[in-house]
Structures are given as C-alpha cells and as structure tokens.
C-alpha cells in the first residue's frame, strides 16, 4: 500500500471542483478523496486478486453490500431473478435518501472473465474454477469491473460524507453478470424501478485503454453497439470424399457463405453507420475423406439501431439461403438460422443528460483532462436501464485506465496496447480511481444540487 504522503505527491494538478462548489469545498473534496485513496487501492487489489465469473459474484457482492452498509446506505442484496430458476442473482441495491429532489442511479458491474491473467502484476489473479463439463478456466478482471466497483465505493463514501451539499435520492446498483448480459435484465425484471424510487437519471462509467489514466472522455448519443449472436447450420448431403459428385458439400457452401457475408458491411450498409458481421467459429467434418452432412457457423453481429439490425439479420438469412439454393440444396435442407435470445440493444447516451454530465466532468477535472469520447462496437447491458419504464435517460462515460506514456508510445508507433478482455490488460489504478471518484461524485452532486 502507498503511504498517504506518496498519494499526495501523485495528485494531478487539475483543479477539482463541482459545478456549484466554492473553492474551499473543492479542496475539501480533494482531501477527502486522498484520505480514502489508500483504502480504495487496497480494495481494488483485493477485488482484482479475487475475481468471480458472471452469476458467481457471491463474495464480491457481499463485500460491496457490507461496505455500503458501513457507509450508512440502506442495502438490499441478492436482488434479481434470472430466467433459470436455480441461479441466484447477486444484485445489490443501496439507497441514500437525503431530502427532496431527483433520484440518481449509479450502476457498477461486478463480474470477471474466463481468462488466465498474464499481466505479471503483484496482485494478479491466480483464481481457477471448474466450469460445466469439468474444464478448468482461469478467472480475471480483464474488463476492469474491479476498477468500476472501487470507484463506485469511493463515490458512495463521498456522497455519504457530503450530504449537506446535495438534496435528493441516490440509488447505487451493484449489477451481476454483465459479461453474459443477464444481470441488468435480472434486476430490472425483478422490479428494480418499482420496488425502489423511480430513477430520473442513470449513470455509469467504463474503463478505457484508449484514454490515459487521470483523464475521462464522453460522447452523447450512441456509445456502444447492439449485439446479436447468430448460429447457422448449413445442411448438405454427406458422402465419400472421393465422390463429391454424389454429395452437396456443406463445407464448400459454408465457405462461400462466410465470404459473401463480408459484402453485407462492404456493399449493403450505409458506410456512415458502423456495422460488424464477424464469423467467429466454423466447425465441420471429422476426417480427411468424409464429406459431412452439415457445417456450423457462429456469428456476432453489431449494429447501432433496430432498423439496421433487422436489415443485417435479413441479409444474413438471404445470403445463406441463396448460396445453399445456388449449390443445389433443396428447400427442405435449407440452412437453419438461429438468432440467440440474449440480444442487447445499442447503448444510447441521452444527449441532454450527457451534455450536463460532460459539463460537470470538465468543471470537476479541468478541460484538459476531459477528452472527446468515441463510440465503440463492444456491447453492454447498461443499455437496458434506458428501456424499462419509466425509461429514464442514461449516460455512461469512459474512465481513462491506460499508462499515459505507454499509450502515447503505442499511438506514435501504431502498436498494440492491451485493452479490455486481454490477458495482459493492466489498468493504472492511480490516478484512475481518484479521477473516477471525483468525476462520478461531481456528476451526481451536480444533478442533485440544492
Ligand atoms: Zn467486458
Ligand atoms: Zn466491461
């Protein structure tokens, strides 16, 4: 753990102030965050070293719940209901009522990924778990949800300490199972907005390896893509590898489909509107001299709005069916195309709310520490918080997590810097944690200012 003295030396020079906060209060917020920083860093390292996979967040959620109780929040744990009846939802909802005013939700995710960590950090995860079927996998906070939780707890502490400076209600959400996109739905379906005060605004942040630690970035409008998983079973007629004339070879048909699918993005979609169609898996056959009966493709599709999504899914079906028909496959053996139910829509940052949050961030951190953000084609179930009645405005901003020098070097040389979902992803917790706490605390307090 770093000594408080070192933390003070590492302070960024940017002024820390909230929109309506006088100078003495800014210094006060700085001091409070610096006082908490060593404990928050210790919490971060503990969470990083002890990751839990999606739907398994038992210890993580217990830690979050007990910390929030200690800070004086009214906490409900084990909140949520998955479609699978045997699965426990480890959702945490923490309430702080503080007079009249709007209700602001702040959401963190809590789950980690099945990745063997290779950062070499002293607090690296060595956790391994057995998955269904008995295979052992490593577990790693490779998406930075440990950083999100730490900032979330720091923000919870600041809001509790500074109750005299805001009025309204804060609802803090610890969401399980973001990576498998079941957690937000489990909490919303269990009546999150009905059993707790209705939200006027919902905020979140996500770490970014494209933004240096100590800075944030934001973007109004579409921020993250909608995601679909599509399975295609190409059905032919198998037979002897030496007698192709007696078969309809599904490997050749599926190969043509893979190539033709590339024309959806390059030839059919508006180049101004980002679209992704990736074939991530292609499995067929068992042996050199057997033409199999079928071939299986697995696709991920990323789109930014419902119309675009429909168009891409329709094109996938049209191309797959057309190529199979062109190869002479009869209609009754046409490809089976299945779109998985776990669709997540695009995350659209409400423009008015995001502009307000952006102004808070600039005043809190200084303009030089707030960059223009960019949308990316990854997906999040944070999007679902905007779609359940009363359909509140939502906004997520990017929290810088990259080593500034390494990022600059990578940008200059055009080389790769490990980012989220990489076994080498290593956020720089200081100053990312303090920056995140300042940013989120000020964003919330500005929405709830007296
Ligand atoms: Zn992730
Ligand atoms: Zn994530």
């Amino acid at each position: 753990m770093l000594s408080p003295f070192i933390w003070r030396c590492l302070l960024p020079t940017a002024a820390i102030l909230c929109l309506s906060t006088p100078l003495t209060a800014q210094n006060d917020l700085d001091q409070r965050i610096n006082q908490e920083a060593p404990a928050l860093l210790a919490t971060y390292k503990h969470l990083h070293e002890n990751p839990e996979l999606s739907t398994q967040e038992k210890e993580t959620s217990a830690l979050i719940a007990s910390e929030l109780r200690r800070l004086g929040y009214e906490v409900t744990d084990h909140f949520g209901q998955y479609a699978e009846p045997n699965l426990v939802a480890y959702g945490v909802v923490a309430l702080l009522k503080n007079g009249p005013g709007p209700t602001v939700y702040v959401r963190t995710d809590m789950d980690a990924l099945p990745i063997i960590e290779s950062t070499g950090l002293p607090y690296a995860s060595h956790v391994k778990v057995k998955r269904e079927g008995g295979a052992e996998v490593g577990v790693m906070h490779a998406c930075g949800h440990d950083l999100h939780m730490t900032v979330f707890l720091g923000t919870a502490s600041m809001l509790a300490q500074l109750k005299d400076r805001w009025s309204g209600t804060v609802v803090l959400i610890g969401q399980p199972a973001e990576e498998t996109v079941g957690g937000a739905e489990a909490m919303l379906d269990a009546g999150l907005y009905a059993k707790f005060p209705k939200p006027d605004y919902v905020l979140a942040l996500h770490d970014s390896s494209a933004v240096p630690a100590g800075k944030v970035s934001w973007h109004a409008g579409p921020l993250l893509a909608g995601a679909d998983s599509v399975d295609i079973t190409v059905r032919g007629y198998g037979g002897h590898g030496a007698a192709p004339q007696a078969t309809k070879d599904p490997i050749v048909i599926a190969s043509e489909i893979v190539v033709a699918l590339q024309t959806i993005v390059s030839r059919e979609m508006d180049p101004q509107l980002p679209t992704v169609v990736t074939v991530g898996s292609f499995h067929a056959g068992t042996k050199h001299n057997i033409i199999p009966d079928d071939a299986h493709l697995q696709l991920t599709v990323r789109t930014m709005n419902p119309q675009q999504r429909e168009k891409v899914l329709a094109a996938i079906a049209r191309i797959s069916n057309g190529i199979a028909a062109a190869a002479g496959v009869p209609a009754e053996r046409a490809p089976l195309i299945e779109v998985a139910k776990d669709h997540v829509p695009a995350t659209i940052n409400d423009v008015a709310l995001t502009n307000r949050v952006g102004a808070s961030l600039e005043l809190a951190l200084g303009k030089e520490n707030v960059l223009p953000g960019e949308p990316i084609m990854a997906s999040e179930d944070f999007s679902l918080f905007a779609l359940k009645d009363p359909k509140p405005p939502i906004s997520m901003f990017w929290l810088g997590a990259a080593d500034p020098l390494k990022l600059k070097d990578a940008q200059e040389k055009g080389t790769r810097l490990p980012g989220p979902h990489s076994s080498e992803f290593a956020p720089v917790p200081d100053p990312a944690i303090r920056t995140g706490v300042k940013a989120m605390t000020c964003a919330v307090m500005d929405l709830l200012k007296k």
Side-chain angles (χ1 to χ4, degrees):
M1 190 187 293
L2 294 172
S3 76
F5 172 74
I6 293 173
W7 276 94
R8 267 196 293 280
C9 295
L10 293 171
L11 254 181
T13 49
I16 292 50
L17 62 154
C18 298
L19 213 52
S20 54
T21 314
L23 203 62
T24 47
Q26 300 157 22
N27 293 339
D28 177 50
L29 178 58
D30 266 350
Q31 275 179 8
R32 286 173 192 271
I33 292 173
N34 289 331
Q35 267 168 14
E36 301 253 329
L40 289 173
L41 185 65
T43 300
Y44 171 73
K45 289 179 176 175
H46 173 81
L47 289 167
H48 190 84
E49 229 173 330
N50 296 282
E52 292 174 300
L53 288 176
S54 311
T55 74
Q56 309 293 312
E57 309 89 345
K58 188 177 175 194
E59 302 302 330
T60 305
S61 64
L63 184 150
I64 298 287
S66 83
E67 275 298 295
L68 292 171
R69 279 194 188 103
R70 185 181 65 78
L71 293 169
Y73 286 73
E74 193 184 310
V75 176
T76 305
D77 51 16
H78 295 86
F79 186 81
Q81 181 60 60
Y82 292 112
E84 301 90 326
N86 298 330
L87 219 48
V88 179
Y90 291 110
V92 178
V93 186
L95 203 62
L96 192 59
K97 285 186 181 153
N98 188 31
T103 296
V104 179
Y105 276 52
V106 180
R107 172 269 208 174
T108 184
D109 33 21
M110 303 190 290
D111 52 336
L113 286 160
I115 292 177
I116 296 171
E117 178 159 357
S118 61
T119 58
L121 289 166
Y123 50 92
S125 161
H126 301 287
V127 174
K128 291 205 167 65
V129 295
K130 282 218 163 40
R131 300 183 93 182
E132 271 176 52
E136 199 177 58
V137 289
V139 187
M140 176 188 176
H141 268 300
C143 204
H145 298 183
D146 47 352
L147 191 58
H148 304 173
M149 287 186 275
T150 308
V151 169
F152 175 86
L153 290 174
T155 303
S157 175
M158 290 305 122
L159 291 171
Q161 290 179 38
L162 301 172
K163 278 173 82 174
D164 58 327
R165 296 198 211 153
W166 57 274
S167 183
T169 300
V170 169
V171 181
L172 303 181
I173 303 296
Q175 185 211 300
E178 187 284 321
E179 295 292 355
T180 50
V181 299
E185 192 176 26
M187 294 186 82
L188 290 162
D189 284 356
L192 180 65
Y193 291 168
K195 292 179 179 161
F196 299 95
K198 286 208 184 316
D200 294 295
Y201 312 103
V202 186
L203 302 181
L205 55 79
H206 202 293
D207 63 344
S208 169
S209 59
V211 179
K215 297 183 194 288
V216 298
S217 74
W218 62 278
H219 174 82
L223 185 75
L224 291 152
D228 279 285
S229 300
V230 183
D231 284 79
I232 304 175
T233 305
V234 177
R235 300 182 296 173
Y237 293 107
H240 202 294
Q245 75 281 11
T247 71
K248 294 289 175 206
D249 185 346
I251 293 182
V252 174
I253 298 167
S255 301
E256 287 184 29
I257 290 173
V258 171
V259 175
L261 289 176
Q262 311 309 312
T263 63
I264 297 174
V265 175
S266 68
R267 302 292 83 185
E268 293 195 40
M269 303 309 291
D270 180 349
Q272 305 287 341
L273 197 57
T275 315
V276 174
V277 178
T278 290
V279 180
S281 149
F282 185 148
H283 285 110
T286 55
K287 197 176 181 302
H288 307 68
N289 62 352
I290 299 172
I291 293 171
D293 283 326
D294 43 37
H296 300 274
L297 303 176
Q298 293 185 310
L299 285 63
T300 189
V301 174
R302 305 294 164 116
T303 52
M304 285 299 193
N305 65 54
Q307 299 76 17
Q308 180 194 13
R309 173 180 182 247
E310 289 310 315
K311 193 173 173 188
V312 174
L313 294 178
I316 289 170
R318 193 190 72 240
I319 287 169
S320 304
N321 286 322
I323 288 176
V329 173
E332 67 267 21
R333 293 283 292 162
L336 300 173
I337 300 163
E338 217 175 301
V339 180
K341 287 196 186 80
D342 62 354
H343 161 69
V344 272
T347 299
I348 314 286
N349 271 345
D350 179 82
V351 173
L353 172 61
T354 305
N355 286 337
R356 269 183 86 176
V357 170
S360 298
L361 298 178
E362 286 187 3
L363 281 157
L365 304 174
K367 274 194 171 164
E368 69 279 18
N369 290 316
V370 181
L371 307 175
E374 284 176 8
I376 60 170
M377 298 308 281
S379 303
E380 257 273 359
D381 63 3
F382 181 60
S383 53
L384 298 177
F385 286 90
L387 301 180
K388 195 87 169 176
D389 281 333
K391 300 197 166 96
I394 66 168
S395 189
M396 171 183 272
F397 63 86
W398 299 121
L399 174 64
D403 180 315
L405 293 177
K406 284 186 189 162
L407 180 62
K408 190 164 176 277
D409 190 54
Q411 283 167 341
E412 280 170 7
K413 292 182 181 151
T415 52
R416 189 184 71 92
L417 195 65
H421 292 214
S422 156
S423 66
E424 299 166 70
F425 181 45
V428 179
D430 177 49
I433 293 169
R434 284 178 302 136
T435 306
V437 174
K438 282 168 206 160
M440 190 56 94
T441 301
C442 286
V444 174
M445 290 209 300
D446 283 345
L447 291 170
L448 296 176
K449 72 180 166 221
K450 281 182 169 172

